[in-house]
């Protein structure tokens, strides 16, 4: 009953004119700037190993902008738009990780860089504010994560953990988005609600 009432309110919703106008202005601004940046990269496509991943990241801006505007003017399809955005967000995260690796010269050079930093005596440890000579090149986790994880030494193992984490994020984010579509189709998708009959 409550769900049907909420859906009928959403179906009758119409955003204020001023909100729609502001949304249109920002939508046009973000899409225009993103397309300019995209075409700028494509016209100077001299480093494809880096630029192909950067384009995937740049397209995240219009993706968020279009999703926000469509959700504003038509809340009844906002869940579907949000799910599509979440899927693209996971792809953009992957592109960003690959872009960083490409900037460092590929996987082998990235691992060499991390190992060199791990041996460096001139750098302070990552995620740690104190300068101590015995923790150079080590990722010390902040509280409370340091209770569960040992410090990570920069190098091949650390790179593999990060790479696995990005791919795992992509898979889990996409699977939860697909699950949300299925739950929404059956009318049991209740975002932010923790009930037995909702997903």
């Amino acid at each position: 009953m409550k769900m049907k009432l909420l859906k009928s309110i959403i179906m009758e919703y119409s955003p204020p004119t001023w909100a729609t106008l502001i949304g249109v202005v920002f939508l046009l601004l973000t899409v225009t700037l993103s397309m300019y940046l995209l075409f700028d990269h494509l016209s100077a496509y001299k480093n494809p190993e880096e630029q192909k991943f950067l384009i995937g990241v740049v397209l995240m801006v219009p993706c968020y902008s279009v999703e926000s505007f469509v959700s504003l003017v038509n809340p009844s399809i906002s869940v579907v738009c949000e799910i599509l955005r979440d899927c693209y967000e996971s792809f953009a995260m992957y592109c960003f990780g690959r872009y960083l690796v490409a900037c460092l010269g590929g996987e082998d050079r990235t691992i060499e860089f991390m190992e060199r930093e791990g041996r460096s005596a001139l750098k302070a440890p990552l995620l740690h504010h104190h300068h101590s000579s015995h923790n150079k090149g080590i990722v010390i986790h902040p509280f409370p994560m340091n209770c569960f994880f040992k410090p990570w030494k920069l190098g091949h193992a650390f790179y593999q953990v990060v790479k696995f984490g990005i791919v795992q994020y992509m898979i889990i984010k996409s699977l939860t988005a697909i699950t949300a579509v299925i739950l929404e189709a059956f009318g049991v998708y209740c975002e932010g609600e923790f009930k037995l009959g909702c997903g």
Side-chain angles (χ1 to χ4, degrees):
M1 176 82 171
K2 184 178 168 185
M3 194 67 153
K4 287 182 181 178
L5 177 65
L6 182 62
K7 285 190 178 191
S8 69
I9 291 171
I10 288 174
M11 294 301 275
E12 297 171 9
Y13 172 79
S14 178
T17 305
W18 63 267
T20 304
L21 290 174
I22 290 172
V24 166
V25 168
F26 283 110
L27 173 69
L28 292 174
L29 180 68
T30 56
V31 169
T32 301
L33 290 174
S34 297
M35 291 303 112
Y36 172 78
L37 186 57
L38 176 70
F39 289 125
D40 193 42
H41 275 287
L42 290 174
S43 66
Y45 203 65
K46 295 182 174 108
N47 196 348
E49 195 57 39
E50 290 177 21
Q51 287 176 297
K52 67 182 175 186
F53 296 117
L54 191 57
I55 288 169
V57 175
V58 168
L59 288 175
M60 191 68 221
V61 175
C63 179
Y64 265 93
S65 185
V66 168
E67 184 267 335
S68 297
F69 182 74
V70 170
S71 296
L72 172 69
V73 297
N74 192 352
S76 63
I77 63 168
S78 65
V79 171
V80 174
C81 291
E82 184 179 328
I83 290 164
L84 292 172
R85 185 211 60 211
D86 285 348
C87 287
Y88 190 81
E89 179 185 309
S90 66
F91 174 70
M93 176 74 81
Y94 168 77
C95 287
F96 183 69
R98 296 299 302 165
Y99 170 70
L100 293 177
V101 170
C103 286
L104 291 171
E107 286 194 15
D108 293 337
R109 291 194 62 198
T110 300
I111 293 168
E112 288 172 16
F113 172 78
M114 287 183 167
E115 288 172 346
R116 191 170 53 250
E117 288 296 306
R119 292 188 300 265
S120 174
L122 302 174
K123 303 284 181 188
L126 300 174
L127 301 177
H128 194 32
H129 302 292
H130 305 299
H131 296 278
S132 58
S133 60
H134 64 282
N135 286 333
K136 305 297 184 211
I138 294 177
V139 178
I140 297 176
H141 305 284
F143 181 80
M145 301 309 290
N146 62 350
C147 298
F148 304 105
F149 295 110
K150 294 179 180 178
W152 289 336
K153 186 173 189 286
L154 291 181
H156 187 268
F158 176 76
Y159 176 77
Q160 292 299 330
V161 166
V162 171
K163 186 176 167 182
F164 178 77
I166 292 172
V167 173
Q168 181 182 19
Y169 175 82
M170 281 180 56
I171 293 168
I172 291 173
K173 188 84 164 177
S174 298
L175 289 176
T176 57
I178 292 166
T179 303
V181 168
I182 295 167
L183 292 173
E184 179 68 19
F186 288 103
V188 292
Y189 180 69
C190 309
E191 185 176 13
E193 293 184 34
F194 297 99
K195 298 178 182 175
L196 290 177
C198 289

